[in-house]
Amino acid sequence: MKPRPLAAAVTTIALVAAGLTVNTGTAVAHGKGYSALIQRASYGVPHITARDFASLGYGVGYAQAEDNVCLIAEQMVTVNAQRSRWFGADTRNVSSDLFHQKAIDTQAAERWLVGPRDGVRSPSNEVRDQIRGFVAGYNAYLKTEKTTDPACKGKDWVRQITEMDMWRANWARMVRASSGALADGIVAAAPPGGTATKASAPQAEVVVKAADGAPAGVGSNAYGLGRDATASGAGMLLANPHFPWDGGERFYRMHLKVPGRYDVEGAALVGDPIVEIGHNGRVAWSHTVSTARRFVWHRLALVPGDPTSYLYDGQPRKMTSRTVTVQTPAGPVSRTFYDTHFGPVVVVPGSFDWTAQAAYAITDVNAANNRALDGWLAMGRAKSVGELRSVLDRRQFLPWVNVIAADRDGRALYADHSVVPRVTDALAAACIPAPFQPLYASSGQAVLDGSRSSCELGRDRDAAVPGILGPANLPLLIRKDYVTNSNDSYWLANPARPLEGYPRIIGNERTERSLRTRLGLHQVRQRLAGTDGLPGKRFTTGRLWDVTFGNRAYGGELVRDDLVKLCEAQPSATASDGTTVDLTAACAALRGWDLKVDLGSRGAHLFTEFVLAGGLRFADQFDPAAPLTTPNRLAVDDPRVRTALADAVRKLAGIPLDARLGDVQTEPRGAERVPIHGGRHEAGVFNMIIGVFEPGVGYPKIRHGSSFVMAVELGRHGPSGRQILTYSQSANPNSPWYADQTRLYSGKGWDTIKFTQKQLRADPNLVTYRVGERRR
């Protein structure tokens, strides 16, 4: 039967405009329809209550469409291989379309839905209901024709979506650090003498950097604080993911509740129906991008005279070829893909070439990861760190992230229980050919001998599925004091208990840590020792917030004084282009810098550009016995240090070297330029912000960095604390929630945790409405 909208379904914007608050009680789900209660709190954050998961999904789909319909619509264009049709047939769009059309033709998402609906072998009925409800809610919003976002208002590419669209989008999320990161190389793969498309394969260095867990630039910080680290003795969590400020990988804040079954506040990526970082009444968790690999290479020994056949245990096997066609404004574009029983053939010019003798295929262990939505649903129901660990062990669903968590009883957990190919030390020693052993040792990229069945990934007895490392082979730590991660490996989640002895494919051990990792650990240790300049010892949520946005530049703390001495002793230097540069103003700016990246910090941008130019070079070596303090001395005798400073001065021509950071680093919101604090990972800044440089101007647009930030305490009377979404809830410039949290972030402000009805009803801006539809 045709769905009929409920008469009570209205938009928040209309309610706000009318100055109305409609209190309608708990949502009632119809047996053959949907109904959800949406309570919009300050900053437009929806608190959605429904009787079942289908209606909950409906509320999420409706609310997200109200705020970000264009972002979701564009995701659907992408996963349906139609970017060239709607956004232009440039090389990037054609390559994306061919990659996604192949996934459609091979029914990659459809195959996810086959099997027992236990949440491991196939998505559960609850998750399927959420997807179905999300689709219905999103489509119901489109029917209101109230879209005001100029990015897609009235555009033909905005359409009703299907459940399969959602599953395709979820599949794309899972493979973003594996097949997705190598999509251009999969599209470009052709046998010697074959015809390639305009799609260009990635260079080797791009593969090495981008496949460390997620595309380059995506990262995060997280603290899990146990009873020995907090003033109250309750567990506490810092969530600080670093993600893009624009596009479909923005976070969206929401609180979802099915009474008696699910109650979680936090955030998810736009277009996802369930909270991915957040807390319930007893447990809080966050994610950081893991260093583990998500795919392995297989070197194929090709049959002489037939570059599309390979030898396996001495017998020839024919590759499978499939021609895929996509539509563009200039006409159809076709491409033939090649697959092996391992997975697709990939080319990386100069490193993984397809020659007459050899080719390379990958096994993507996330391509079959249909467990993630059920996994996050189960995480939201965990009542302790111990229960959370059981969820991780049984489901093994995290695609490319670590988990950091804390519970009400004051226990903190770190785990890299992500989906990792089963490359044990024994398999690596026996099956990675000698020329590729250095690559594995340095980067964790495994190139296995594809000619032997003994070099297949196999199965760990405790693994959820074949081909991945089981829980016993994955790092995990539970503490009463703290755990942290800032995108280095698991090794120093807590320096008092280093995690060692795990397969190299997960990460490195006893190696130099990033300055951001070191600062993150120093901040915790100094807070517990009471030496950070803040009152008292241990953490409250307020102190946790202050530490997070303390905006220290650890690289500057280490080398600024020596750099200034060097600069003043030799106040001119030769830039890399041979130009002689006067450093007098640079010396003065650095001397006056407060070693922070606050809005009022003068000269911070100069130090940032010095670092990016390659100037942060150390004279001493890393010492694994002192990993938090080495290296630490500027290499003042290295001429590249002064060259980098000269290059930084030249790059900043037209911009005062002693300018306030808030005057040169901003985020546009309409005609307004919102000053933005924070800085680069490379400079050792914890609160990572990366702006787009414009000569003579500075950084007038933020590309990515701190996004959803949450400091939550799991107290006896319920969760409390602070949270913010730095770029605000909506990407729509006509939304009232387009800039409010961005201004709030600029002033280091916050919104409060609103988990209980008491907390929610205390919000003076609360607006309540119901959405739903029933069938005749």
Side-chain angles (χ1 to χ4, degrees), residues 644-657:
L645 185 56
D647 287 345
V649 172
R650 283 182 55 77
K651 182 176 180 179
L652 293 171
I655 303 170
L657 299 181

Side-chain angles (χ1 to χ4, degrees), residues 416-435:
D416 189 344
H417 273 219
S418 54
V419 178
V420 186
R422 186 187 169 276
V423 179
T424 62
D425 289 341
L427 184 71
C431 290
I432 297 178

Side-chain angles (χ1 to χ4, degrees), residues 519-536:
L519 176 59
L521 287 162
H522 283 312
Q523 288 177 162
V524 175
R525 292 156 67 94
Q526 291 166 359
R527 173 87 294 262
L528 299 185
T531 59
D532 59 359
L534 298 173

Side-chain angles (χ1 to χ4, degrees), residues 544-556:
L544 183 54
W545 201 258
D546 292 342
V547 165
T548 303
F549 295 126
N551 284 336
R552 294 166 60 182
Y554 184 56

Side-chain angles (χ1 to χ4, degrees), residues 28 166 229 238 284 416 422 434 506 571 576 622 630 635 683 698 746:
V28 178
M166 287 290 290
L238 170 70
D416 189 344
R422 186 187 169 276
I506 307 173
S576 57
F622 168 73
T630 60
S746 179

